[in-house]
Amino acid sequence: MQVTIDVTRHTDASCASRDLAVRCTNCNLRELCLPQGMAQDEVQKINGLVTTRRRVKKGESLQHAGEPFKSLYAVRSGSFKTCIATEDGRDQVTGFKMSGEIIGLDGIGTNSHIIDVIALEDSEVCAIPFSRLEEVSREIAGLQKQFHRIMSREIVGEQGVMVLLGSMRAEERVATFLVNLSRRFRARGYSATEFHLRMTREEIGSYLGLKLETVSRVMSRFHDVGLIKINQKHVLILNPEGLQEAASPSTAGH
Amino acid sequence: MQVTIDVTRHTDASCASRDLAVRCTNCNLRELCLPQGMAQDEVQKINGLVTTRRRVKKGESLQHAGEPFKSLYAVRSGSFKTCIATEDGRDQVTGFKMSGEIIGLDGIGTNSHIIDVIALEDSEVCAIPFSRLEEVSREIAGLQKQFHRIMSREIVGEQGVMVLLGSMRAEERVATFLVNLSRRFRARGYSATEFHLRMTREEIGSYLGLKLETVSRVMSRFHDVGLIKINQKHVLILNPEGLQEAASPSTAGH
DNA sequence: CGCTCTCTTGAACAGAATCAAGAACGGTGG
DNA sequence: CCACCGTTCTTGATTCTGTTCAAGAGAGCG
C-alpha cells in the first residue's frame, strides 16, 4: 500500500522518537510522570527506558483485555478511559487517564491485560517495556521507589473510588468527580475552573455508578444553584468551595 | 497443577516466632504469600526479611490511618478488615484480608498509612520492613517480580470491587461476595461450601455498598430459594453453580 | 443539509434505604 | 449452670433516591 498523505505528521513522530524529545530529561511532564521525585542523574539513566512513542486516535484502543502484557504506557498527550468488561457482558469505565499518568499496571499480575484502554481524543503515549523497567529499577533505587509509589497511589486512588461508589449519593459523586478533574487540570497547568469534558455523560455515569440521565440531571441542578455553568461538555466552576462542600458534605466549614 | 496446602493446623505461634517457623521456607502459607512462584533458593534468601511476628487481638488494630509507614504485613493466621475513614466522617470497609495476603500497600505512596486495619478475630501477622524489602528485591529478581505481581493483583482486585459497586444489584453483590469468600477458603485448604463469616452484616454491607438490613434480607432470600443455608454467621452453600449464576446473571449457561 | 450521537427533561416505577420492633446469640457475672 | 445484658440479626412497613421509559433539542460530522 502506498502512503500518499500526511508525510509531515509522520515525520514529526519519527523525528520525535529518534531525537531528544523522547527523553524523560527534557519532557515537560517529568514532574507528573515516572521521573517525578527522582534525582537529576537518575532521570538521565532512565532516558533509555522509553523506546517508542505511540499515537492513538480518538476512539481507538491502546490496549485490549486479553492481550499479552509487555509495556506500561505513560500518557504524553490526550486522555484515555480504562474499561473493564465482565464475562456477563457488563462494561464499566474504571478510570480516566490524563497526561503523565501510567497505564497498564493491571497486566503485571497475570502477564496479560484485563483492561481495555480507549483514547478519548487523539493522544500520544510513551511505551515503557516492562522487563526493562524491572531491570533498570533493580539498579536505580530512585526508580524502584518511584515505581512503587505509582502503584501504591493507584491502589489508594481506587480505594477512593470505592468509597465514592459505596457510600456517596449521586450529587456527591458528581461533585467529587468535578473537583477531582479540576485538581488534575490545575496540576497540568490548565485552568482549574474552566475545562472541557472529554468523556460523554454515559462514560461519566459508568465511572460513577450512575445512569447518564442522572449525571445530566445532577449537573443541571448544580448549574441551577449557581455552583457551575455547564453547556454540553464545557464546564465552568463558579463556586469551587461550594462544589467541594457538595462533594463531602459534613466537611466542617469549607 | 493442584497445590494442596494444609493450613488447618497453623500450630501455635509463640513456638513459631522463636523458632524456624518464622522462616518463609517452612511456612505452610508460602504458596499463597510473598514467596509464591519464587525459586527454592530465592525463597531462602528472603527468610531474613521477616523479622518479627505480631499478634493482634480481635477488634484491635494492626495499623492506623495517619501512622508512618514502615512495614508491610503478611497475614499469618486470622483475618482483618481494611477500612478507610473519609474527612467527612464516613467510614467504609474496603476489603477483608485472609492468611497469606499482604497488608499495608496503601502506605508506600505517601509514607504514611491511609487505611485502618482491624482484626476480625485473634490474628497473627509477619512484619516485612519495607526498606529491607526494597533492598532485597533489587538483588533478587524473583522477589521483585512477585512483589510487583502482588501490587498489580491488588489493583485488579479493586477494579473488580469497583465493578461490583458500580453496576451490580444487591443480590449480585452478595452472591459475588459469597463466591469470592468460598474461593479463598478453598485456596487455603478449608471447605469451599461451609464456612464461618468473621464479619458482621454491617461490615459486609459497608464493603458491598449496602445497608446491613439489605444484606440480611438478600441472604434470607438465598436461603429461602435453597441456594445457601445460613444461620447467623454460619454459611453452607447448597448450590454453588446457582450462587455463581446469581453473582453474574447472564453468564451464559453456567 | 441531513443524519446520528449526545444531552436534557419529564413522568412513572423499582430497588434499596430508613424506621421500627422483636428475636437470637455471646459474653459476663452471680 | 443460668439469668442478664448488649450486640447482632431478622423481618415488616414506609419512604426516597435513582432508574427506566420516553420524547424532544442540540451539536457534530460527513
Side-chain angles (χ1 to χ4, degrees):
Chain A
M1 191 188 277
Q2 277 291 33
V3 177
T4 53
I5 45 167
D6 231 2
V7 182
T8 27
R9 234 176 253 168
H10 188 271
T11 352
D12 266 347
S14 46
C15 170
S17 37
R18 59 178 144 77
D19 219 64
L20 81 175
V22 84
R23 298 179 180 281
C24 293
T25 328
N26 308 305
C27 181
N28 51 13
L29 289 169
R30 65 184 175 283
E31 282 310 317
L32 288 166
C33 194
L34 193 60
Q36 188 249 24
M38 290 175 61
Q40 186 78 33
D41 58 320
E42 287 178 330
V43 179
Q44 274 167 9
K45 290 185 201 150
I46 69 166
N47 272 334
L49 259 186
V50 175
T51 49
T52 48
R53 285 273 180 79
R54 214 176 121 187
R55 285 162 179 276
V56 188
K57 287 230 183 70
K58 179 175 177 174
E60 289 182 352
S61 88
L62 173 62
Q63 65 174 230
H64 264 306
E67 282 175 0
F69 165 70
K70 298 249 168 56
S71 292
L72 298 176
Y73 296 100
V75 181
R76 166 93 186 129
S77 67
S79 52
F80 295 84
K81 64 171 175 178
T82 57
C83 312
I84 201 165
T86 47
E87 321 90 49
D88 52 311
R90 254 182 280 254
D91 192 73
Q92 182 169 337
V93 174
T94 59
F96 299 106
K97 296 293 181 182
M98 296 174 54
S99 57
E101 296 175 331
I102 305 293
I103 294 173
L105 300 171
D106 60 289
I108 300 171
T110 57
N111 265 312
S112 83
H113 290 291
I114 58 144
I115 285 178
D116 291 304
V117 179
I118 293 161
L120 295 174
E121 57 195 308
D122 290 359
S123 306
E124 201 178 5
V125 296
C126 299
I128 307 165
F130 186 62
S131 55
R132 286 279 296 138
L133 176 64
E134 285 196 319
E135 271 172 44
V136 178
S137 76
R138 256 177 272 137
E139 285 151 28
I140 304 173
L143 176 63
Q144 178 195 41
K145 178 125 229 121
Q146 173 60 1
F147 178 58
H148 291 165
R149 268 199 294 259
I150 286 170
M151 296 207 89
S152 175
R153 286 197 202 123
E154 183 85 11
I155 290 170
V156 170
E158 287 184 358
Q159 304 240 359
V161 179
M162 284 170 60
V163 170
L164 179 143
L165 292 171
S167 66
M168 290 189 185
R169 47 182 55 267
E171 297 210 341
E172 296 168 338
R173 295 186 198 193
V174 174
T176 302
F177 173 71
L178 291 173
V179 168
N180 177 280
L181 273 191
S182 169
R183 289 212 188 104
R184 284 155 83 192
F185 278 122
R186 181 172 49 211
R188 281 156 184 78
Y190 299 110
S191 168
T193 55
E194 187 166 13
F195 47 84
H196 193 83
L197 298 174
R198 265 66 190 238
M199 61 297 279
T200 66
R201 300 287 187 269
E202 182 165 23
E203 287 161 342
I204 297 172
S206 175
Y207 177 61
L208 297 177
L210 301 170
K211 292 296 155 185
L212 69 97
E213 294 96 327
T214 306
V215 174
S216 179
R217 269 185 253 272
V218 171
M219 285 184 167
S220 297
R221 233 175 292 158
F222 285 167
H223 181 107
D224 294 344
V225 299
L227 281 178
I228 65 176
K229 208 157 169 310
I230 188 156
N231 188 324
Q232 302 285 124
K233 294 209 153 83
H234 183 253
V235 178
L236 179 63
I237 299 180
L238 299 171
N239 180 354
E241 297 78 19
L243 196 63
Q244 174 59 54
E245 170 70 12
S248 48
S250 29
T251 304
H254 32 276
Chain B
M1 175 175 76
Q2 179 83 0
V3 182
T4 343
I5 307 131
D6 181 19
V7 193
T8 39
R9 315 161 263 277
H10 296 138
T11 73
D12 70 29
S14 48
C15 165
S17 39
R18 59 180 142 77
D19 222 60
L20 81 175
V22 84
R23 299 175 180 283
C24 293
T25 328
N26 308 305
C27 181
N28 51 14
L29 289 169
R30 68 185 172 282
E31 283 309 318
L32 288 166
C33 195
L34 194 60
Q36 187 250 22
M38 291 175 60
Q40 186 78 34
D41 58 321
E42 289 178 329
V43 180
Q44 274 168 10
K45 291 185 200 150
I46 69 166
N47 272 333
L49 260 186
V50 175
T51 49
T52 48
R53 285 273 181 79
R54 213 176 121 188
R55 287 161 175 277
V56 188
K57 286 229 183 74
K58 179 177 178 172
E60 289 181 353
S61 87
L62 173 62
Q63 65 176 226
H64 264 306
E67 282 175 359
F69 166 69
K70 299 250 168 55
S71 291
L72 298 175
Y73 297 101
V75 181
R76 167 92 187 132
S77 67
S79 51
F80 295 83
K81 63 172 173 179
T82 57
C83 313
I84 202 163
T86 48
E87 322 89 48
D88 53 310
R90 254 181 279 253
D91 192 74
Q92 182 169 337
V93 174
T94 58
F96 299 105
K97 296 293 181 183
M98 296 175 53
S99 57
E101 296 175 333
I102 305 293
I103 293 173
L105 301 171
D106 60 290
I108 299 170
T110 57
N111 265 311
S112 83
H113 289 291
I114 58 146
I115 285 177
D116 292 303
V117 180
I118 293 160
L120 295 173
E121 58 195 307
D122 291 359
S123 304
E124 200 177 8
V125 295
C126 299
I128 307 165
F130 186 63
S131 55
R132 285 278 298 138
L133 175 64
E134 285 196 318
E135 271 172 46
V136 178
S137 75
R138 256 176 273 136
E139 286 151 29
I140 304 173
L143 175 63
Q144 180 195 38
K145 179 127 228 119
Q146 171 61 2
F147 178 57
H148 291 166
R149 268 199 293 259
I150 286 171
M151 295 206 92
S152 176
R153 285 195 203 127
E154 185 83 12
I155 290 169
V156 170
E158 287 184 359
Q159 304 240 2
V161 178
M162 284 169 60
V163 171
L164 178 143
L165 291 171
S167 67
M168 289 190 185
R169 45 184 56 267
E171 297 209 342
E172 295 167 337
R173 296 186 197 193
V174 174
T176 302
F177 173 72
L178 291 173
V179 168
N180 177 280
L181 273 191
S182 168
R183 289 213 188 104
R184 285 156 81 191
F185 278 122
R186 180 172 49 210
R188 281 157 185 78
Y190 298 112
S191 167
T193 54
E194 186 166 14
F195 47 85
H196 193 83
L197 299 173
R198 264 66 189 238
M199 62 298 279
T200 67
R201 300 287 188 268
E202 183 165 22
E203 287 160 342
I204 297 172
S206 175
Y207 176 62
L208 297 178
L210 301 170
K211 292 294 154 184
L212 69 98
E213 295 96 325
T214 306
V215 175
S216 180
R217 267 185 254 272
V218 171
M219 284 183 167
S220 297
R221 231 173 296 158
F222 285 167
H223 181 107
D224 293 344
V225 300
L227 281 178
I228 64 176
K229 210 157 169 306
I230 188 156
N231 190 324
Q232 303 284 123
K233 295 208 152 83
H234 183 253
V235 177
L236 179 63
I237 299 179
L238 299 171
N239 180 354
E241 296 80 17
L243 197 63
Q244 174 60 54
E245 170 70 13
S248 48
S250 27
T251 303
H254 29 276

